[in-house]
Amino acid sequence: MPRSADKLRNVALVGHRGSGKTSLHEALLFQAGAVGRLGRVPQGSTASDTDPDEQSRQMSISTTLSSITWRERKINVLDTPGDPSFVADALGALRVCESAVFVVNAVLGVEVGTARLWARAAELDVARMVCVNMLDRERSDFFRTLASLKAAFGPHVVATEIPIGAEHEIRGIIDLVDMQAYETTGDGRTDTRKIPIPEELSAIAQEYRERLMDEVAEVSETLMERYLDGEEISHDEVVTALKEGTNHGDIFPVVCTVATRNLGTTRLLDAIVDDLPSPVKHGAMELPDITLVPDPDEPLFAYVFKTKADRFAGRINFFRVYQGVMTHDTQVLNTRTHIKERIGQLSQEAFGPGDIGSVGKLKDTHAGDWLAARDEPIAMPPLDLPAPVMAFAITTRTSGDEDKLFTALRRLQEEDPTIDLHRDPQTGEEIVAGLSQVHVEVVVDRLRSRFGVEVDLKPPRVPYQETIRRPATAHGRHKKQSGGRGQFGDCHIAIEPLQDGTAFEFVDAIKGGVIPGSYVPAVEKGCVEAMAHGAVAGFPVKGVRVTLHDGSYHRVDSSEMAFKTAGAQAMRQALAAADPVLLEPIMLVTLSVPDSSVGDVIGDLAARRGRPLGMEPTGHTTVVRAEVPMAELLTYAPDLRSLTGGQGDFTMEFARYEEVPPQLAQNVVLQAPAVHA
Ligand SMILES: Nc1nc2c(ncn2[C@@H]2O[C@H](COP(=O)(O)OP(=O)(O)OP(=O)(O)O)[C@@H](O)[C@H]2O)c(=O)[nH]1
Ligand SMILES: [Mg+2]
């Protein structure tokens, strides 16, 4: 029997890189009895991060799904990667979960990744709880972290626990709902015991209890009145109100943990059950073509949100059921391929509406697909993912491996939609692009380890363009007389710059049929051809209007070919005479850097011809926005890393083309690829 939706919790563990999500995932599994010992990230012994790439980098690269049982609820926990390179996984998980536990480092407080994901969780209407982790570390501070959370996310971030002790002396927590203290020794699994609230903490516990009650009382007017009248509010009433507030995004409870010591996890599991919503919260799901109702008796519709190559199980697909039941040993239809898939390796006998599970060994199913009882047009709205801007030209070390490379990259794209592969139309190079240097490095490692393809990367050439600055005219004449039928084409053109961003315009101003209408398109073709290689350095020319205004033809010798050649000739002359200039792509760069390195980063950007657009402090970090020529950013990732002690990150997107300063243009010309026009 599938689990009824109200007995489920779908929880995404999200947060900045390295805040302790994987360690917390491990502690939750251990505490709930799903694993026998508490694995450790540095030893590569955790239930998630099983991939060699994850272990060698000590970071999560893709989502791990686990199910645990706690107080008769099935909790599906999704441990997501914090590195922004793998944000597709974090967002994919947020979309299929009703709630998220934000794991925050108690030394560093709210970091960039935390803030970015918070905004996305809000957009997706996901209930949020915060777990302040690493409370055993030196210079950690629960209250300072709480203040940074409030500063970043508003006054409704409220502690439901406070720690007992600090840094390496932390030994337990005080639950502010019940005003009950718990002390943890050993591995915490069996040796957590109730203790009286320590004397020295009773005043602060009282103070934070009141703040919690202020928030809770706001959820309902009757509760507020009774609270103001000084009436006692019962445990159940507080829990109900807390859940109500959390489910509607009116309250964000904050709990305390030390993941690596399994401290605070019992309370966290309770809080997941008590405070976070079940899938019943969202009810039916309205999609453009269909409405799915969370009813087990309706036909099955399950959404595949993640495809993953598992070291042990092979390729697995994670799905969430939105309607009907996914049952072991059945056939379902993939609505994209219209092909039937056999549900063989299911992680449990049956999954009802709202449940999340995984299935192995499907033929041709990957993230973004729907598995359904019947063929229907159905699609999830696309997720807004960052554009892959870290691009490299990729070549195989062994010639003949190209097909293998493309097949492998397509496979990797199914696992991660933010990997891009394309051929640069200007340079003919194969380009692989990702969100960051690390992202592309992971791709290269996987090409080698999983597919046996060795590749080389180099920074791609900057896609320069050319344009013209003033009008010019030219005459193209193609005439050949070499016995038999000759060739004759003759045209006069005028060109002028287009300022409105239009790449090319062709005006036919021929009067009196001096060039027959049937040859005019040939002239245009010739002009377009000539524009593929500009006069400055052979880069494509954009922003030109061509007016064909005169010419002549020969009754016998004229042909399309001859007019095309004449057109190209005229165009080449005209472009050279029209003050041609080189254009370079300018990128809009958004950086987030530690406050202490802002000065260095801005100085470095200026040296890269960057123009700062603004700065915004966000707590410990500052967001800097600037426009920088792409040519100056080809190897920016490692440079930023060293400028910021590894703490900075950035994204960039194309803004527009601008003229290359004349003193630099010469260099580009010298390095431009030879043109074979
Ligand atoms: N002292 C201490 N160390 C912790 C705690 N939680 C995690 N760590 C350590 O911090 C490092 C990062 O922990 P992870 O669990 O991998 O963090 P993560 O959030 O999963 O990292 P990403 O998946 O890369 O975003 C590891 O070395 C952990 O052992 C904690 O509560 N206290
Ligand atoms: Mg992790």
Side-chain angles (χ1 to χ4, degrees):
M1 270 296 283
R3 193 78 65 135
S4 75
D6 61 338
K7 294 284 186 290
L8 295 170
R9 299 288 182 278
N10 296 316
V11 181
L13 298 180
V14 295
H16 192 87
R17 152 109 183 91
S19 54
K21 297 171 289 297
T22 297
S23 307
L24 188 66
H25 171 258
E26 188 72 13
L28 293 173
L29 260 56
F30 177 67
Q31 193 58 25
V35 295
R37 69 189 169 108
L38 190 64
R40 306 207 167 266
V41 170
Q43 276 136 38
S45 57
T46 48
S48 52
D49 291 8
T50 52
D51 197 287
D53 285 326
E54 295 180 314
Q55 292 173 351
S56 65
R57 290 185 167 79
Q58 299 270 301
M59 70 195 288
S60 304
I61 290 175
S62 54
T63 297
T64 296
L65 165 67
S66 303
S67 299
I68 52 185
T69 309
W70 190 256
R71 288 175 35 198
E72 280 133 50
R73 292 347 181 256
K74 181 188 177 208
I75 307 176
N76 295 315
V77 188
L78 288 88
D79 174 20
T80 71
D83 191 288
S85 316
F86 311 105
V87 67
D89 266 42
L91 296 179
L94 281 177
R95 170 145 81 180
V96 296
C97 289
E98 288 72 30
S99 47
V101 171
F102 277 76
V103 184
V104 172
N105 177 327
V107 183
L108 299 169
V110 174
E111 297 175 83
V112 192
T114 326
R116 279 195 196 137
L117 289 164
W118 189 275
R120 300 303 295 267
E123 271 167 39
L124 292 165
D125 188 22
V126 172
R128 278 149 279 165
M129 174 184 286
V130 183
C131 172
V132 176
N133 187 40
M134 302 196 177
L135 282 164
D136 60 329
R137 287 217 172 156
E138 245 177 76
R139 292 192 310 282
S140 65
D141 187 332
F142 176 76
F143 299 100
R144 189 187 62 221
T145 305
L146 186 64
S148 89
L149 285 160
K150 278 184 193 286
F153 309 131
H156 302 306
V157 174
V158 62
T160 55
E161 298 169 9
I162 57 171
I164 305 175
E167 301 183 329
H168 64 279
E169 281 174 353
I170 182 162
R171 58 193 171 94
I173 53 150
I174 300 171
D175 168 9
L176 301 173
V177 177
D178 292 338
M179 286 305 266
Q180 175 61 58
Y182 298 86
E183 188 179 53
T184 296
T185 48
D187 70 11
R189 179 127 143 203
T190 47
D191 33 21
T192 293
R193 57 191 185 95
K194 285 188 182 182
I195 55 164
I197 292 179
E199 191 79 43
E200 70 280 11
L201 290 178
S202 91
I204 190 155
Q206 202 51 50
E207 179 193 336
Y208 278 85
R209 155 85 178 183
E210 269 161 35
R211 294 190 190 185
L212 171 61
M213 292 307 292
D214 287 345
E215 278 302 317
V216 165
E218 271 195 40
V219 170
S220 109
E221 252 170 58
T222 41
L223 212 59
M224 175 70 94
E225 276 167 28
R226 289 178 39 217
Y227 176 62
L228 291 178
D229 289 347
E231 262 182 63
E232 196 52 40
I233 314 284
S234 75
H235 166 90
D236 285 355
E237 284 174 306
V238 177
V239 171
T240 308
L242 199 51
K243 183 173 199 130
E244 172 96 3
T246 309
N247 290 4
H248 291 99
D250 296 330
I251 295 181
F252 308 107
V254 181
V255 302
C256 312
T257 58
V258 179
T260 42
R261 277 178 50 191
N262 190 28
L263 186 152
T265 35
T266 307
R267 275 288 313 139
L268 175 55
L269 285 164
D270 282 344
I272 288 172
V273 170
D274 286 336
D275 305 345
L276 296 181
S278 76
V280 173
K281 176 193 177 199
H282 283 297
M285 183 165 72
E286 312 245 349
L287 290 171
D289 297 305
I290 193 169
T291 297
L292 301 177
V293 288
D295 179 347
D297 298 326
E298 291 289 321
L300 168 75
F301 281 92
Y303 176 66
V304 177
F305 64 93
K306 171 74 192 165
T307 303
K308 181 172 178 174
D310 185 88
R311 196 162 135 206
F312 308 110
R315 248 158 76 90
I316 52 174
N317 280 302
F318 295 163
F319 61 84
R320 171 174 164 145
V321 177
Y322 283 91
Q323 179 177 295
V325 178
M326 173 84 89
T327 317
H328 178 70
D329 239 350
T330 50
Q331 288 208 328
V332 297
L333 202 92
N334 179 316
T335 63
R336 175 182 57 91
T337 60
H338 313 292
I339 287 169
K340 282 200 172 142
E341 292 271 22
R342 230 188 77 79
I343 301 298
Q345 303 188 349
L346 208 54
S347 48
Q348 119 199 348
E349 187 57 35
F351 291 85
D355 210 348
I356 290 178
S358 67
V359 52
K361 303 259 151 49
L362 296 182
K363 276 183 299 207
D364 180 19
T365 293
H366 56 72
D369 290 353
W370 283 87
L371 297 172
R374 55 162 200 260
D375 212 348
E376 287 260 354
I378 182 169
M380 210 45 137
L383 269 180
D384 186 10
L385 294 172
V389 286
M390 205 47 172
F392 294 87
I394 187 168
T395 49
T396 55
R397 251 178 226 172
T398 318
S399 68
D401 261 5
E402 287 78 10
D403 282 351
K404 228 161 114 188
L405 170 67
F406 297 135
T407 313
L409 278 170
R410 263 195 297 280
R411 268 295 167 89
L412 293 176
Q413 274 178 319
E414 287 171 9
E415 281 177 53
D416 181 350
T418 55
I419 299 170
D420 180 41
L421 174 72
H422 64 270
R423 179 191 290 268
D424 185 317
Q426 282 183 31
T427 62
E429 292 169 315
E430 293 297 341
I431 306 292
V432 62
L435 302 182
S436 69
Q437 182 119 357
V438 176
H439 193 199
V440 178
E441 281 165 13
V442 167
V443 169
V444 169
D445 287 351
R446 296 195 155 171
L447 286 173
R448 185 190 317 112
S449 63
R450 282 207 217 147
F451 301 95
V453 186
E454 297 273 357
V455 297
D456 288 313
L457 295 181
K458 58 179 166 56
R461 298 210 181 95
V462 177
Y464 290 103
Q465 292 184 354
E466 298 183 17
T467 192
I468 54 170
R469 284 289 177 243
R470 58 184 175 80
T473 57
H475 177 200
R477 188 177 170 87
H478 181 61
K479 185 176 178 182
K480 259 201 187 136
Q481 219 80 55
S482 50
R485 199 176 138 184
Q487 292 180 38
F488 184 84
D490 176 65
C491 63
H492 289 263
I493 61 168
I495 65 172
E496 62 194 305
L498 283 173
Q499 246 81 42
D500 60 356
T502 313
F504 175 70
E505 227 176 79
F506 185 83
V507 182
D508 174 8
I510 291 295
K511 298 220 172 55
V514 292
I515 297 178
S518 60
Y519 292 139
V520 170
V523 175
E524 177 173 353
K525 250 195 211 148
C527 292
V528 169
E529 230 178 66
M531 281 178 64
H533 302 288
V536 183
F539 293 108
V541 185
K542 299 282 155 74
V544 180
R545 174 187 287 131
V546 181
T547 308
L548 170 64
H549 59 86
D550 202 359
S552 63
Y553 78 107
H554 188 280
R555 235 170 4 93
V556 180
D557 291 344
S558 280
S559 66
E560 280 182 25
M561 202 51 215
F563 270 103
K564 196 174 112 184
T565 309
Q569 208 185 76
M571 191 65 177
R572 273 196 294 273
Q573 277 177 35
L575 288 175
D579 190 9
V581 291
L582 204 55
L583 301 176
E584 63 179 342
I586 305 293
M587 310 301 283
L588 175 65
V589 188
T590 308
L591 302 107
S592 61
V593 297
D595 292 344
S596 55
S597 24
V598 170
D600 291 345
V601 168
I602 301 240
D604 174 71
L605 285 175
R608 294 172 194 269
R609 300 190 279 133
R611 278 186 301 258
L613 297 178
M615 268 198 287
E616 233 174 277
T618 62
H620 302 271
T621 56
T622 301
V623 173
V624 178
R625 297 190 325 124
E627 284 182 351
V628 189
M630 184 189 190
E632 308 287 343
L633 291 171
L634 292 180
T635 55
Y636 189 51
D639 298 347
L640 181 69
R641 236 181 296 173
S642 62
L643 274 173
T644 58
Q647 291 290 310
D649 77 58
F650 75 105
T651 59
M652 59 176 169
E653 59 196 285
F654 171 75
R656 69 180 162 278
Y657 272 92
E658 263 180 30
E659 192 172 331
V660 180
Q663 68 276 19
L664 297 178
Q666 191 53 31
N667 242 341
V668 178
V669 173
L670 290 175
Q671 286 169 15
V675 180
H676 310 284

